[in-house]
Amino acid sequence: MPIGKIDDYPVLAACLEAWRPTAANGFPQSIDPLDMPPAAIKAISLVEWSDEHGDWVLRLSSTLIDESHGRSMRGTTFSEAFVPEDLAKVHARLNEIMQRGEPDLGQHEFYDTRDRVWSFVRLILPLSSDGVKRDRYCLIYDPETFGRRIGT
């Protein structure tokens, strides 16, 4: 989805505007959720690449994700959260986003490992452990579009 459509998602647009000044001189290490609009707080996750796992890991899991799964997803690797056929696509897409190093707006639908279908609009804001490597990102779900599809 083109980043120009972000104005259709006011919470995500406000998050992007909060991130821009922190990224003016390279990729920030993290983002302060308190700089985000209050409506976004429950929708913010921080994700980091783990060489140990060879996978992305949720370091801070959003309340939306935790409530949807019925447990804390903190520390969960993506290989634990996605079915294998979706995991390969997720990794490829994240590699593309991180190589570009630009915020990314997307609309997605996927099956989790319990065969439930999820849909949402999300914003990815690149972060870095050292200001150069693209090994972290802030993932923000649009609270209005996030949810499991009924009947699946």
Side-chain angles (χ1 to χ4, degrees):
M1 171 181 302
I3 197 74
K5 292 192 134 290
I6 199 156
D7 289 336
D8 294 343
Y9 308 95
V11 171
L12 298 182
C15 291
L16 178 60
E17 288 309 308
W19 174 83
R20 285 182 195 243
T22 68
N25 296 317
F27 299 108
Q29 284 191 340
S30 65
I31 197 157
D32 187 346
L34 297 177
D35 290 339
M36 299 296 184
I41 299 298
K42 67 182 178 185
I44 297 172
S45 293
L46 296 176
V47 184
E48 182 175 64
W49 179 258
S50 168
D51 286 333
E52 176 186 344
H53 294 100
D55 200 359
W56 294 98
V57 178
L58 280 167
R59 296 296 183 207
L60 171 68
S61 180
S62 75
T63 302
L64 286 177
I65 290 291
D66 291 349
E67 289 176 352
S68 298
H69 286 275
R71 68 177 180 91
S72 173
M73 296 297 285
R74 184 175 181 257
T76 302
T77 63
F78 279 26
S79 61
E80 296 171 294
F82 293 96
V83 294
E85 51 273 13
D86 285 342
L87 179 64
K89 293 177 212 168
V90 169
H91 276 188
R93 181 71 176 134
L94 286 171
N95 287 341
E96 175 188 316
I97 291 167
M98 297 308 278
Q99 284 178 5
R100 268 195 351 261
E102 297 291 329
D104 189 83
L105 182 67
Q107 183 173 12
H108 296 281
E109 184 175 282
F110 74 94
Y111 286 88
D112 70 11
T113 56
R114 292 190 278 176
D115 210 29
R116 296 177 299 179
V117 180
W118 296 88
S119 62
F120 54 85
V121 173
R122 59 92 184 118
L123 175 65
I124 290 179
L125 301 172
L127 304 171
S128 175
S129 60
D130 65 4
V132 178
K133 284 190 284 189
R134 298 168 185 171
D135 56 353
R136 297 178 177 176
Y137 63 90
C138 180
L139 171 64
I140 309 161
Y141 298 103
D142 176 58
E144 297 299 315
T145 63
F146 182 85
R148 191 176 98 186
R149 291 185 47 199
I150 306 301
T152 57

